[in-house]
Amino acid sequence: MECFSSPGWFSISTSSLLGLNSKNKLSLNRKGRSFNKDGSRCMSMSQTADESSVFSYKKLIHFALEETNTHTLLSPSPLQEKYSSLLAMDDKMELQMLSFEAPKIRLLRSLCIEGSDGMQVLDFAAFPKPEFDLPIFCANFFTTAKMNIIVLDLNPLHDIMDQEDYKEKYYKDLIPLGLKYSELLPWGGKLTSESLRFFSPIVIWTRFSSSPHNHSVLFSAFKDYYQAWLGLMDRSEEETDASQIACNCEAQHRYLTWRSGKDPGHGVLKRLIGEDLAKDVITKYLFNGVNELGNKTFLDYFPEYRCEDGKVNEKRSMIGKSFENRPWNVRGEFIGDRVKIV
């Protein structure tokens, strides 16, 4: 498999993969699920420079890939052959996907959607290999012409409520970073207690109106958080104990099982590409590993969601509680029992 070893060559290649300088792209046919090459407009590098001020989440993907390449050796993921681009049912919006792997990264992948009405979606994540207990980098951004809904975090692989040593290992030095952006990007309101277990004390969960200033702050937050994650990756050591590797693997499978079953962004995909294709993209691309890293089902991990007929309850929350305010203090200590719960 050919690897990205030259920074200069990599820079050009990521531009090409992002559609900035591409002559061909693979599209997944919605109906027959066959793969066909179709023409796409070729944009020169000068055009790219002229449009550098245009708000686009593709810039964050480009930044992340180039930055990652300065820390490790990226290789295209086998998923890239199938999941490259997908046309929405309206034949107007295109879903663009990129996926890579690296010595410590099982899957680094992105999904980017841009609509003519100002709608943009970014789903960017980095999943570590089971030999490493790294947090999972998570950026889920949904933007319209007027509003933005944002989640940005280094999702803990293990439960930081019960494992204080894991929290100390990965988040102690990042608390100042979280405080900085929690001031600039205030808490976005109700967050269910079930979702909270997959977030860290530095999570950015926010809503804000669209403006150049707010988008600039968001871009800075993404870059700082991703660089922080890369720093953790650089310092991480490979686990050799088989039982701990198995524990890491199950923890990631549990995370993937929750996200593939209850992620709120699934509705957007279903509206764009239909239920069948949405399920395929969710389970085999966005949360790849849910069918490979373990055999447990959603109800094995989360039995409280079991209905009388044995099916999974469609509700987002079974506890029925949500946090109106940030449930961590300035030291990163959980104070959920003292903040307003609705």
Side-chain angles (χ1 to χ4, degrees):
M1 182 177 291
E2 190 173 16
C3 298
F4 294 103
S5 57
S6 167
W9 188 89
F10 179 81
S11 175
I12 295 173
S13 295
T14 51
S15 297
S16 176
L17 286 167
L18 286 167
L20 299 178
N21 194 26
S22 174
K23 294 182 179 179
N24 294 290
K25 58 188 175 185
L26 287 173
S27 292
L28 178 60
N29 186 287
R30 290 194 311 274
K31 298 178 180 178
R33 297 195 181 190
S34 59
F35 302 91
N36 303 297
K37 287 187 177 180
D38 58 16
S40 62
R41 182 171 64 92
C42 180
M43 183 181 293
S44 69
M45 296 304 289
S46 61
Q47 285 176 298
T48 303
D50 291 340
E51 295 180 11
S52 62
S53 61
V54 176
F55 168 66
S56 172
Y57 286 140
K58 288 182 180 179
K59 296 178 184 178
L60 293 182
I61 300 173
H62 194 259
F63 164 83
L65 295 181
E66 290 197 319
E67 193 71 15
T68 307
N69 194 55
T70 66
H71 290 256
T72 189
L73 192 64
L74 277 178
S75 303
S77 165
L79 295 174
Q80 188 63 46
E81 183 177 351
K82 178 178 180 180
Y83 299 98
S84 177
S85 67
L86 179 61
L87 199 61
M89 290 187 293
D90 63 4
D91 290 328
K92 295 179 180 179
M93 282 188 284
E94 183 183 11
L95 290 70
Q96 296 186 347
M97 294 164 276
L98 293 172
S99 56
F100 301 88
E101 56 188 32
K104 296 182 180 181
I105 302 173
R106 183 181 66 83
L107 176 63
L108 185 153
R109 56 87 177 140
S110 66
L111 168 67
C112 187
I113 307 171
E114 294 186 348
S116 58
D117 57 354
M119 189 271 278
Q120 290 195 58
V121 174
L122 173 67
D123 190 331
F124 185 93
F127 302 97
K129 290 184 176 179
E131 292 79 9
F132 302 90
D133 65 355
L134 282 165
I136 297 166
F137 183 85
C138 165
N140 295 122
F141 301 167
F142 177 79
T143 292
T144 66
K146 295 183 178 180
M147 179 57 65
N148 301 262
I149 302 174
I150 304 297
V151 174
L152 176 65
D153 193 24
L154 278 60
N155 294 155
L157 184 65
H158 297 291
D159 190 344
I160 56 174
M161 303 293 185
D162 297 330
Q163 300 187 33
E164 187 67 25
D165 56 340
Y166 185 84
K167 178 182 172 183
E168 286 285 311
K169 178 180 180 180
Y170 285 117
Y171 299 103
K172 180 180 179 181
D173 294 336
L174 298 181
I175 296 301
L177 178 65
L179 291 176
K180 171 185 175 181
Y181 285 106
S182 66
E183 292 290 329
L184 296 171
L185 300 167
W187 190 253
K190 297 178 182 179
L191 185 68
T192 64
S193 53
E194 286 90 348
S195 297
L196 198 67
R197 66 186 128 184
F198 296 102
F199 291 135
S200 81
I202 67 168
V203 63
I204 299 300
W205 150 237
T206 190
R207 304 169 188 256
F208 56 80
S209 58
S210 293
S211 73
H213 171 73
N214 288 339
H215 290 149
S216 177
V217 173
L218 177 62
F219 275 42
S220 294
F222 178 95
K223 292 177 180 180
D224 287 349
Y225 271 54
Y226 192 64
Q227 287 173 328
W229 186 85
L230 289 173
L232 296 179
M233 182 194 71
D234 288 343
R235 297 187 293 274
S236 66
E237 297 181 0
E238 184 173 357
E239 181 61 63
T240 57
D241 182 80
S243 62
Q244 186 57 49
I245 294 173
C247 183
N248 293 342
C249 193
E250 180 168 304
Q252 189 170 154
H253 185 253
R254 180 175 181 267
Y255 173 92
L256 294 168
T257 301
W258 172 262
R259 291 292 306 274
S260 62
K262 292 296 180 180
D263 194 88
H266 297 175
V268 175
L269 281 179
K270 290 178 182 178
R271 289 193 295 272
L272 289 175
I273 59 177
E275 186 170 355
D276 290 342
L277 268 182
K279 183 178 180 180
D280 181 79
V281 171
I282 289 165
T283 59
K284 297 180 181 179
Y285 178 73
L286 290 179
F287 304 112
N288 174 271
V290 71
N291 296 325
E292 293 81 19
L293 295 184
N295 297 317
K296 288 186 177 181
T297 66
F298 186 93
L299 292 175
D300 289 332
Y301 288 122
F302 313 104
E304 65 272 22
Y305 280 85
R306 185 183 299 276
C307 295
E308 291 184 0
D309 60 2
K311 295 181 179 180
V312 176
N313 197 304
E314 296 296 324
K315 291 182 179 180
R316 284 275 300 155
S317 174
M318 295 304 297
I319 299 176
K321 296 179 180 179
S322 58
F323 294 87
E324 185 73 29
N325 302 297
R326 190 173 191 85
W328 292 278
N329 64 18
V330 295
R331 294 183 297 278
E333 299 167 340
F334 184 70
I335 54 170
D337 54 346
R338 285 181 276 159
V339 300
K340 183 178 179 181
I341 301 177
V342 292

